[in-house]
Amino acid sequence: MELPQLCPRFERAIDLLSKRWTTLIVYRLLDGPQRFIDIEHSLPNLSGKVLSDRLRELESEGVIQRNVYPEKPVRIEYTLTEKGRALAPLMDDIQQWATCWVELD
Amino acid sequence: MELPQLCPRFERAIDLLSKRWTTLIVYRLLDGPQRFIDIEHSLPNLSGKVLSDRLRELESEGVIQRNVYPEKPVRIEYTLTEKGRALAPLMDDIQQWATCWVELD
């Protein structure tokens, strides 16, 4: 059976979302703006280096925004853009599927 | 801000779905049972070795089923289980998000 070609937008979305940690970082930001250290602490096995790379990628994809507040000490927060918040239904789907179907050892 | 612990089922689901190719393989099987070679041809950059590993993982997670038909030559097909078909709404949401938000270079 010959399958149709994949939609390149779909493939690109999967490429982005399939990167380890990316989805969990977006999920964390659904709770509101977070500082680097908050995200880092909330995802125990994620290294600072990888978090930094993922945040940069998500920013360049327009999924998150990095806000710098010129306070002393300077405050930097990450927040979802409209594109990022549009991922909320997808997170709900994963949560629902996990609740119904995923068994823990 | 202290974030709550992640739901372990959610984390496990993300672990599974974030593996490169896994989601695309499930997406392909939404069209119905497929032979190995059909899936392989429909995902051009996926090697036979990786496809074979992913199919084994998805089978052990109960997401797909491997059916062997004792014909000559023997016919082997992969199909989604109920757990696998339950991922359809997630795929729809990814498709919708991609259509609205993903730009191609």
Side-chain angles (χ1 to χ4, degrees), chain A residues 4-5 9 12 18 23 33 40 45 48 57 60-61 64 70 74 78 81-83 85 94 101-103 105:
Chain A
Q5 266 212 318
R9 282 194 167 78
R12 180 102 199 256
S18 289
T23 323
E40 194 178 19
N45 296 316
E57 282 162 15
S60 87
E61 292 285 343
I64 67 170
V74 70
Y78 296 88
T81 59
E82 203 187 338
K83 180 177 179 178
R85 284 193 302 276
I94 299 175
W101 292 102
V102 172
E103 284 169 30
D105 305 323

Side-chain angles (χ1 to χ4, degrees), chain A residues 36 46-57 78:
Chain A
F36 187 95
L46 168 61
S47 74
K49 162 80 176 73
V50 173
L51 175 55
S52 167
D53 289 349
R54 289 295 177 273
L55 289 171
R56 232 193 322 268
E57 282 162 15
Y78 296 88

Side-chain angles (χ1 to χ4, degrees), chain A residues 2-18:
Chain A
E2 191 73 31
L3 288 166
Q5 266 212 318
L6 284 177
C7 159
R9 282 194 167 78
F10 181 79
E11 219 175 333
R12 180 102 199 256
I14 295 279
D15 260 1
L16 173 68
L17 300 171
S18 289

Side-chain angles (χ1 to χ4, degrees), chain A residues 55-90:
Chain A
L55 289 171
R56 232 193 322 268
E57 282 162 15
L58 285 167
E59 197 188 348
S60 87
E61 292 285 343
V63 172
I64 67 170
Q65 196 176 306
R66 181 175 181 271
N67 298 318
V68 182
Y69 301 94
E71 300 165 2
K72 276 192 178 171
V74 70
R75 182 163 55 98
I76 301 175
E77 283 185 347
Y78 296 88
T79 182
L80 293 177
T81 59
E82 203 187 338
K83 180 177 179 178
R85 284 193 302 276
L87 286 166
L90 208 140

